[in-house]
DNA sequence: ACCATAATGGCACCCGGTGCCGAAAGGAAG
DNA sequence: CTTCCTTTCGGCACCGGGTGCCATTATGGT
C-alpha cells in the first residue's frame, strides 16, 4: 500500500508500529484535484480514498469529515497568527495590529497561490463548505477576540471584543470574495482596505484624512 | 390523519385537491419542543414526523432539511426588513438607518420571547445549526449590502458594501450571544450598542462624545 | 521467534436526504 | 353516485457521510 517512491515525510526517529500509508497533505492534494475536476458534491469520500490508495474508513482517520479535507493545516496557521498578535508592540494601535496580523496571516508565496485560490473558491462557493467554514472560523474569531479583549481590558466574551472579532472576520471574507472575482488581483490590498474601513467606521462623515 | 380538532389554519377559499395534514408552524412547534427536551442531535426526523403524525417523507415536503425546521418564517421576516430599509428617509445617515432596521427586525412581543430564545440558542450553539445559519444569513447580508450600495453609489458586490453587510451581521450575532448569556437581558440594547460601535469604528481614539 | 504498538480497512449500522410511484383525499362536473 | 382532476401523502429503495467494532497487517523492540 505504501509505495516506496513516496515516503510521506521522511521518518526521522524510530517508530513503533505500522507506518501511515499516506499523509494529510497527500490526501488533500488528491481531494482538491478531484474537487476541481468534478465539483465537490460530485466526488465521494470513496473516490478520494481510492485515488489515494486507501480505504474509505481510513480516510476518516486523517480527516474528521469530507469538508475538513479542504482546510490544510488551518490549526497551524492559526497558531502562527496568535503568535504574531502576541508578539506585536504594545504601543501599536489595536486595529493596526489586527490589520497587519490578518494581512500577514494571508501572505502566500507565489507557488501556492493557485492551490490557495482553489481552496478558497471551494470554501466560499460550495454551500456545504460555506456552512462548514463557520465552525472553522470560530477559533479564528476567538484569537482576535482575545487580543482585542486584552487591549480593551474587557473579558474576551464581552460584547465589544466579540463584535470586533466578527467584524474582522467579515472584512477578511469580503476581501477574499473580491480577490476571487479577478485573477491576479491583490489580496493583501483588499484585506488592508477592508480592515481600514472597519477601523474608521461606517458612520458619516467618513473622516477623510 | 387530519384530526378534526386541529384545522391547520382555517381553509378560507375552496381548494382543489387533498388538504395538507399539518402546517409548517405546527411542525416547527413539535420540532422545537423535541429539540429542547432531548437536544438537536438526539432527535431524528422520524421522531418529529411521528410527533406530528405524518410520514418521514412528508416532513421533507414542509422543510427542505431538518436544519430548516428551526428558522420559522425567516423569508417573511427578511421581506419585512427590506421594506423597512426601502421606506426609510433618504436623509437619514446610513448606519442610523441600518441600526434602526436591525433593531426593528428583531423586535419581539413578550409572548414569543421564550420560543425565540430557544430558537436562537439552538442556532447559535448547536454546531450543525451554527454552520447552516451561514446559508440563511446570506440573504440577510444581501439585503444590507444592497441598501449600503445604494447609499454609497457603488455596486452591491463591491468591497465596501460587502464589508458593511458582513460587519452588521457579525454585530447582530454578537449581540444575540450576549442576550442569550443572561435571561431577561435587553436584546435591542445590545444590538444598538454593537451597531453604534460599527458606525464609529474601532480605531483610536474611540471618540468619547 | 515473540510481543507490544499503531495503522489499516472491511463490515454493519445510523441518519439525512431524494427520486419514484401508487394511494388517499378532496372538489367539480356529469 | 360516479368519474375525473388535482393535490398531498407516504412507503420503498437508494445514495452518501459518518461511526463503532474488530480482526489483520506492518513495524520495532526483546
Amino acid at each position: 500500500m505504501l509505495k516506496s517512491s513516496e515516503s510521506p515525510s521522511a521518518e526521522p526517529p524510530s517508530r513503533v508500529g505500522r507506518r501511515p500509508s499516506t499523509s494529510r497533505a497527500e490526501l488533500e492534494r488528491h481531494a482538491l484535484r478531484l474537487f476541481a475536476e468534478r465539483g465537490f458534491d460530485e466526488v465521494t469520500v470513496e473516490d478520494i480514498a481510492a485515488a489515494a490508495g486507501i480505504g474509505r474508513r481510513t480516510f476518516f482517520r486523517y480527516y474528521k469529515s469530507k469538508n475538513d479535507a479542504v482546510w490544510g493545516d488551518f490549526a497551524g496557521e492559526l497558531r502562527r497568527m496568535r503568535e504574531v498578535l502576541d508578539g506585536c508592540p504594545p504601543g501599536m494601535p489595536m486595529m493596526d495590529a489586527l490589520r497587519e496580523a490578518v494581512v500577514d496571516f494571508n501572505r502566500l508565496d507565489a507557488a501556492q497561490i493557485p492551490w490557495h485560490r482553489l481552496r478558497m473558491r471551494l470554501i466560499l462557493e460550495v454551500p456545504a463548505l460555506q456552512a462548514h467554514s463557520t465552525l472553522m472560523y470560530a477559533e479564528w474569531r476567538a484569537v482576535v477576540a482575545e487580543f482585542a479583549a486584552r487591549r480593551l481590558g474587557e473579558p474576551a466574551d464581552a460584547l465589544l471584543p466579540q463584535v470586533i472579532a466578527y467584524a474582522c472576520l467579515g472584512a477578511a471574507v469580503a476581501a477574499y470574495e473580491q480577490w476571487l472575482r479577478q485573477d491576479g488581483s491583490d489580496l493583501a490590498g483588499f484585506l488592508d482596505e477592508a480592515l481600514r474601513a472597519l477601523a474608521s467606521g461606517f458612520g458619516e462623515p467618513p473622516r477623510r484624512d
Side-chain angles (χ1 to χ4, degrees), chain A:
Chain A
M1 202 58 65
L2 173 65
K3 307 188 205 76
S4 55
S5 61
E6 47 169 289
S7 79
S9 61
E11 51 277 63
S14 69
R15 292 218 356 163
V16 214
R18 178 177 180 167
R19 274 163 312 191
S21 301
T22 181
S23 65
R24 282 174 66 95
E26 179 70 13
L27 216 39
E28 195 204 6
R29 275 195 296 276
H30 284 294
L32 284 182
R33 181 175 49 77
L34 290 171
F35 294 158
E37 286 170 9
R38 283 189 252 161
F40 183 81
D41 292 323
E42 279 64 47
V43 176
T44 69
V45 170
E46 188 133 20
D47 293 334
I48 305 170
I54 63 173
R56 189 179 107 95
R57 189 63 182 81
T58 303
F59 173 92
F60 289 107
R61 291 219 174 74
Y62 285 84
Y63 287 103
K64 276 196 311 196
S65 76
K66 182 185 174 187
N67 294 332
D68 283 308
V70 153
W71 284 84
D73 184 23
F74 188 67
E77 301 290 310
L78 214 54
R79 215 175 310 119
R80 222 189 72 217
M81 174 155 151
R82 182 174 261 127
E83 284 161 11
V84 169
L85 283 176
D86 284 353
C88 90
M92 179 181 283
M94 178 185 71
M95 284 307 289
D96 289 357
L98 281 173
R99 184 159 34 78
E100 290 191 10
V102 171
V103 170
D104 181 86
F105 179 72
N106 291 286
R107 200 182 305 282
L108 320 150
D109 46 73
Q112 296 178 335
I113 288 187
W115 286 100
H116 194 58
R117 273 192 96 87
L118 170 55
R119 189 202 312 282
M120 293 312 292
R121 208 165 56 74
L122 289 166
I123 291 174
L124 293 178
E125 290 175 7
V126 174
L129 294 174
Q130 210 176 318
H132 183 67
S133 70
T134 300
L135 306 178
M136 295 286 144
Y137 292 148
E139 272 188 88
W140 190 95
R141 282 190 293 105
V143 172
V144 173
E146 275 159 32
F147 175 79
R150 235 176 297 141
R151 286 302 186 96
L152 297 169
E154 299 184 36
D157 57 5
L159 180 60
L160 190 50
Q162 289 294 316
V163 171
I164 292 173
Y166 270 111
C168 286
L169 173 60
V173 171
Y176 259 100
E177 284 173 353
Q178 293 300 311
W179 180 62
L180 288 178
R181 288 154 58 101
Q182 189 180 347
D183 223 78
S185 58
D186 177 22
L187 174 59
F190 287 135
L191 287 168
D192 189 84
E193 189 181 342
L195 287 161
R196 281 186 198 280
L198 234 48
S200 47
F202 309 132
E204 277 130 310
R207 293 208 258 181
R208 312 206 169 274
D209 298 344

